[in-house]
Amino acid sequence: MLTRLTQLPVLVHGAGVLVAFGALRGIQRVLDASYAASLHPVDYATGQLAFDAATIEGYYAVMIEAGTLDIYWRTQMIDFGFIASMMVLSLLLGTFLARLGGAGSWGWRLGMGAAGLGVAGASMDVIENLLSFVMLANPQDIPQALAFAYSSFAAAKFGLLTLAMLAALGSLLVGALERVAGAYRPR
């Protein structure tokens, strides 16, 4: 599938990247507004990386007290749209950048790696969200093992997405150098 994306006409591929980025930003605005409306007491990363059941129960208690836990549930559902758009953007952007260096080059490999790492990171986000629904089913009595697993998938998500961004940047830089140095040989 990744190779097929690189065979799209360049303008179509580039337009796909822009549309996917626009979709991601649009969904992110809705997600951020819903998260703020939920009155979750800390930012995304802090909340997701708590690794402690009592801490997460405390966050949920704030929303229960405010009567906004249902908004947080909705926020988690909206996040699936964000995750889907992140996957699409990862695939399109990674393969688009891979084209710069040409098939088999280091720029190509880094771009394909960025695509794969982005999808892997988004997949960790799916699991993290599913675990959050398990925690939300009994928000005042979260097992420590569940809280640890939830935060572990969040940490894996952040790590993989960071690596994806670094690979994308590397693909851009290396691919441009390969193009300038003449390493790219179109077929």
Side-chain angles (χ1 to χ4, degrees), residues 126-176:
V126 167
I127 297 168
E128 170 206 310
N129 272 18
L130 293 174
L131 292 174
S132 77
F133 288 125
V134 176
M135 293 189 304
L136 285 164
N138 191 3
Q140 295 159 328
D141 188 23
I142 300 168
Q144 178 55 39
L146 180 58
F148 185 82
Y150 166 78
S151 292
S152 295
F153 279 102
K157 167 190 72 176
F158 289 128
L160 288 166
L161 292 176
T162 299
L163 289 174
M165 289 185 275
L166 291 172
L169 179 60
S171 179
L172 177 64
L173 296 174
V174 171

Coordinates of all heavy atoms in Angstrom, one line a residue, residues 126-176:
V126 N -5.2 4.3 19.9 CA -6.5 3.6 19.9 C -6.6 2.7 21.1 O -7.6 2.7 21.8 CB -6.6 2.7 18.6 CG1 -7.8 1.7 18.7 CG2 -6.8 3.6 17.4
I127 N -5.5 2.0 21.4 CA -5.5 1.1 22.6 C -5.7 1.9 23.9 O -6.4 1.6 24.8 CB -4.3 0.2 22.6 CG1 -4.3 -0.7 21.4 CG2 -4.2 -0.6 23.9 CD1 -3.0 -1.4 21.1
E128 N -4.9 3.0 23.9 CA -5.0 3.9 25.1 C -6.5 4.4 25.3 O -7.0 4.3 26.4 CB -4.1 5.1 24.9 CG -4.3 6.2 25.9 CD -3.9 7.5 25.3 OE1 -2.8 7.6 24.7 OE2 -4.7 8.5 25.4
N129 N -7.2 4.8 24.2 CA -8.5 5.2 24.3 C -9.5 4.1 24.8 O -10.3 4.3 25.6 CB -9.1 5.7 23.0 CG -8.8 7.2 22.8 OD1 -7.9 7.8 23.5 ND2 -9.5 7.8 21.8
L130 N -9.3 2.9 24.3 CA -10.1 1.8 24.7 C -9.9 1.5 26.2 O -10.9 1.2 26.9 CB -9.8 0.5 23.8 CG -10.2 0.7 22.3 CD1 -9.7 -0.6 21.6 CD2 -11.7 0.9 22.2
L131 N -8.7 1.6 26.6 CA -8.4 1.4 28.1 C -9.1 2.5 28.9 O -9.5 2.3 30.0 CB -6.9 1.3 28.3 CG -6.2 0.0 27.8 CD1 -4.7 0.1 28.0 CD2 -6.8 -1.2 28.4
S132 N -9.1 3.7 28.3 CA -9.7 4.8 29.1 C -11.2 4.5 29.3 O -11.8 4.8 30.3 CB -9.5 6.1 28.4 OG -10.4 6.3 27.3
F133 N -11.9 3.9 28.3 CA -13.3 3.5 28.4 C -13.5 2.5 29.5 O -14.5 2.5 30.3 CB -13.9 3.0 27.1 CG -14.1 4.1 26.1 CD1 -13.5 4.0 24.8 CD2 -14.8 5.3 26.4 CE1 -13.7 5.0 23.9 CE2 -15.0 6.3 25.5 CZ -14.4 6.1 24.2
V134 N -12.5 1.6 29.7 CA -12.6 0.6 30.8 C -12.5 1.3 32.1 O -13.2 1.1 33.0 CB -11.5 -0.5 30.6 CG1 -11.5 -1.4 31.8 CG2 -11.7 -1.3 29.3
M135 N -11.6 2.3 32.2 CA -11.4 3.1 33.4 C -12.7 3.9 33.7 O -13.1 4.0 34.9 CB -10.2 4.0 33.4 CG -8.9 3.2 33.3 SD -7.4 4.2 33.5 CE -7.6 5.4 32.2
L136 N -13.2 4.5 32.7 CA -14.4 5.3 32.9 C -15.7 4.5 33.3 O -16.6 5.1 33.8 CB -14.7 6.1 31.6 CG -13.8 7.3 31.3 CD1 -13.9 7.7 29.9 CD2 -14.0 8.4 32.3
A137 N -15.6 3.2 33.0 CA -16.8 2.4 33.5 C -16.9 2.3 35.0 O -18.0 2.2 35.5 CB -16.6 1.0 32.9
N138 N -15.8 2.5 35.7 CA -15.8 2.6 37.1 C -14.8 3.6 37.6 O -13.7 3.3 38.1 CB -15.5 1.2 37.7 CG -15.8 1.1 39.2 OD1 -16.2 2.1 39.8 ND2 -15.5 0.0 39.8
P139 N -15.1 4.9 37.4 CA -14.0 5.9 37.5 C -13.6 6.2 38.9 O -12.6 6.9 39.1 CB -14.7 7.2 37.0 CG -16.2 6.9 37.2 CD -16.4 5.4 37.0
Q140 N -14.2 5.6 39.9 CA -13.8 5.8 41.3 C -13.0 4.6 41.9 O -12.6 4.7 43.0 CB -15.1 6.1 42.2 CG -15.7 7.4 41.7 CD -17.1 7.6 42.1 OE1 -17.9 6.6 42.2 NE2 -17.6 8.8 42.4
D141 N -12.8 3.6 41.1 CA -12.1 2.4 41.5 C -11.4 1.8 40.4 O -11.7 0.8 39.8 CB -13.1 1.4 42.1 CG -12.4 0.3 42.8 OD1 -11.2 0.4 43.2 OD2 -13.0 -0.8 42.9
I142 N -10.3 2.5 40.0 CA -9.5 2.0 38.8 C -8.3 1.1 39.3 O -7.6 1.5 40.2 CB -8.9 3.2 38.1 CG1 -10.0 4.1 37.5 CG2 -8.0 2.8 36.9 CD1 -9.6 5.5 37.1
P143 N -8.2 -0.1 38.8 CA -7.1 -0.9 39.2 C -5.8 -0.3 38.8 O -5.7 0.2 37.7 CB -7.4 -2.3 38.4 CG -8.8 -2.2 38.0 CD -9.2 -0.8 37.9
Q144 N -4.8 -0.4 39.6 CA -3.5 0.1 39.3 C -2.9 -0.4 38.0 O -2.3 0.3 37.3 CB -2.5 -0.1 40.5 CG -1.1 0.4 40.3 CD -1.0 1.9 39.9 OE1 -1.8 2.7 40.4 NE2 -0.1 2.2 38.9
A145 N -3.1 -1.7 37.8 CA -2.5 -2.3 36.6 C -3.2 -1.7 35.4 O -2.5 -1.5 34.3 CB -2.8 -3.8 36.6
L146 N -4.4 -1.4 35.4 CA -5.1 -0.8 34.3 C -4.6 0.6 34.0 O -4.3 1.0 32.9 CB -6.6 -0.7 34.5 CG -7.5 -0.1 33.4 CD1 -7.3 -0.8 32.1 CD2 -8.9 -0.1 33.9
A147 N -4.4 1.4 35.1 CA -3.8 2.8 35.0 C -2.4 2.7 34.4 O -2.1 3.5 33.6 CB -3.8 3.4 36.3
F148 N -1.6 1.7 34.8 CA -0.3 1.6 34.3 C -0.3 1.2 32.9 O 0.5 1.8 32.1 CB 0.5 0.5 35.1 CG 1.9 0.4 34.8 CD1 2.9 1.3 35.2 CD2 2.4 -0.5 33.9 CE1 4.2 1.3 34.9 CE2 3.7 -0.6 33.5 CZ 4.6 0.3 34.0
A149 N -1.1 0.3 32.5 CA -1.2 -0.1 31.1 C -1.7 1.1 30.2 O -1.1 1.3 29.1 CB -2.2 -1.3 30.9
Y150 N -2.7 1.8 30.7 CA -3.2 3.0 30.0 C -2.0 4.0 29.7 O -1.8 4.5 28.6 CB -4.3 3.6 30.8 CG -4.7 5.0 30.4 CD1 -5.5 5.2 29.3 CD2 -4.3 6.1 31.1 CE1 -5.9 6.5 28.9 CE2 -4.7 7.4 30.8 CZ -5.5 7.6 29.7 OH -5.9 8.9 29.3
S151 N -1.3 4.3 30.8 CA -0.2 5.3 30.6 C 0.9 4.7 29.8 O 1.6 5.5 29.1 CB 0.3 5.7 32.0 OG -0.7 6.5 32.7
S152 N 1.1 3.4 29.8 CA 2.2 2.8 29.0 C 1.9 2.9 27.6 O 2.8 3.2 26.7 CB 2.4 1.4 29.4 OG 2.8 1.2 30.8
F153 N 0.6 2.7 27.2 CA 0.3 2.9 25.8 C 0.4 4.3 25.3 O 0.7 4.7 24.2 CB -1.1 2.3 25.5 CG -1.1 0.8 25.3 CD1 -1.5 0.0 26.3 CD2 -0.6 0.2 24.1 CE1 -1.5 -1.4 26.2 CE2 -0.6 -1.1 23.9 CZ -1.0 -2.0 25.0
A154 N 0.0 5.3 26.3 CA 0.2 6.7 26.0 C 1.7 7.0 25.7 O 2.0 7.7 24.8 CB -0.4 7.5 27.1
A155 N 2.5 6.5 26.6 CA 4.0 6.8 26.4 C 4.5 6.2 25.1 O 5.3 6.8 24.4 CB 4.7 6.2 27.6
A156 N 4.0 5.0 24.8 CA 4.4 4.4 23.5 C 3.9 5.3 22.3 O 4.7 5.5 21.4 CB 3.9 3.0 23.4
K157 N 2.7 5.8 22.5 CA 2.1 6.6 21.4 C 3.0 7.9 21.2 O 3.5 8.2 20.1 CB 0.7 7.1 21.8 CG 0.2 8.2 21.0 CD -1.1 8.8 21.5 CE -0.9 9.6 22.8 NZ -2.1 10.2 23.3
F158 N 3.3 8.6 22.3 CA 4.1 9.8 22.2 C 5.5 9.5 21.7 O 6.1 10.2 20.9 CB 4.2 10.4 23.6 CG 3.0 11.1 24.1 CD1 2.5 10.8 25.3 CD2 2.3 12.0 23.3 CE1 1.3 11.4 25.8 CE2 1.1 12.6 23.7 CZ 0.6 12.3 25.0
G159 N 6.1 8.4 22.1 CA 7.4 8.0 21.6 C 7.4 7.7 20.1 O 8.3 8.2 19.4
L160 N 6.5 6.9 19.7 CA 6.4 6.5 18.3 C 6.1 7.7 17.4 O 6.7 7.9 16.3 CB 5.3 5.4 18.1 CG 5.7 4.1 18.6 CD1 4.5 3.1 18.6 CD2 6.8 3.5 17.7
L161 N 5.2 8.6 17.9 CA 4.9 9.8 17.1 C 6.1 10.8 17.0 O 6.3 11.4 16.0 CB 3.6 10.5 17.6 CG 2.4 9.7 17.4 CD1 1.2 10.4 18.1 CD2 2.1 9.4 15.9
T162 N 6.8 10.8 18.1 CA 8.1 11.7 18.0 C 9.1 11.1 17.0 O 9.6 11.8 16.2 CB 8.7 11.7 19.4 OG1 7.8 12.4 20.3 CG2 10.0 12.5 19.4
L163 N 9.2 9.8 17.1 CA 10.1 9.1 16.1 C 9.6 9.3 14.7 O 10.4 9.5 13.7 CB 10.3 7.6 16.4 CG 11.1 7.3 17.6 CD1 11.0 5.8 17.9 CD2 12.5 7.7 17.5
A164 N 8.3 9.3 14.5 CA 7.7 9.5 13.1 C 8.1 10.9 12.6 O 8.4 11.1 11.5 CB 6.2 9.3 13.2
M165 N 7.9 11.9 13.5 CA 8.3 13.3 13.1 C 9.7 13.5 12.8 O 10.1 14.1 11.8 CB 7.8 14.3 14.2 CG 6.3 14.4 14.3 SD 5.8 15.7 15.5 CE 5.8 14.7 17.0
L166 N 10.6 12.8 13.6 CA 12.0 12.9 13.3 C 12.4 12.2 12.0 O 13.2 12.7 11.2 CB 12.8 12.2 14.5 CG 12.8 13.0 15.8 CD1 13.5 12.2 16.9 CD2 13.5 14.4 15.6
A167 N 11.7 11.0 11.7 CA 11.9 10.3 10.5 C 11.4 11.2 9.3 O 12.1 11.2 8.2 CB 11.2 9.0 10.5
A168 N 10.3 11.9 9.5 CA 9.8 12.7 8.4 C 10.8 13.9 8.1 O 11.1 14.2 7.0 CB 8.4 13.3 8.8
L169 N 11.3 14.5 9.2 CA 12.2 15.6 9.0 C 13.5 15.0 8.3 O 14.1 15.6 7.4 CB 12.6 16.2 10.4 CG 13.6 17.3 10.3 CD1 13.1 18.5 9.4 CD2 13.9 17.8 11.7
G170 N 14.0 13.8 8.8 CA 15.1 13.2 8.2 C 14.9 12.9 6.7 O 15.8 13.1 5.9
S171 N 13.7 12.4 6.4 CA 13.4 12.1 5.0 C 13.4 13.4 4.1 O 14.0 13.3 3.0 CB 12.0 11.5 4.9 OG 11.7 11.2 3.6
L172 N 12.9 14.4 4.7 CA 12.9 15.7 3.9 C 14.4 16.2 3.7 O 14.7 16.5 2.6 CB 12.1 16.8 4.7 CG 12.1 18.2 4.1 CD1 11.5 18.2 2.7 CD2 11.5 19.1 5.0
L173 N 15.2 16.2 4.7 CA 16.5 16.7 4.6 C 17.4 15.7 3.8 O 18.1 16.2 2.8 CB 17.2 16.8 6.0 CG 16.5 17.9 6.9 CD1 17.1 17.8 8.3 CD2 16.6 19.3 6.3
V174 N 17.4 14.4 4.1 CA 18.2 13.5 3.3 C 17.7 13.4 1.9 O 18.5 13.3 0.9 CB 18.2 12.1 4.0 CG1 18.9 11.0 3.2 CG2 18.9 12.2 5.4
G175 N 16.4 13.3 1.7 CA 15.8 13.2 0.3 C 16.2 14.5 -0.5 O 16.6 14.3 -1.7
A176 N 16.2 15.6 0.1 CA 16.6 16.8 -0.6 C 18.1 16.8 -1.0 O 18.5 17.1 -2.1 CB 16.3 18.1 0.2

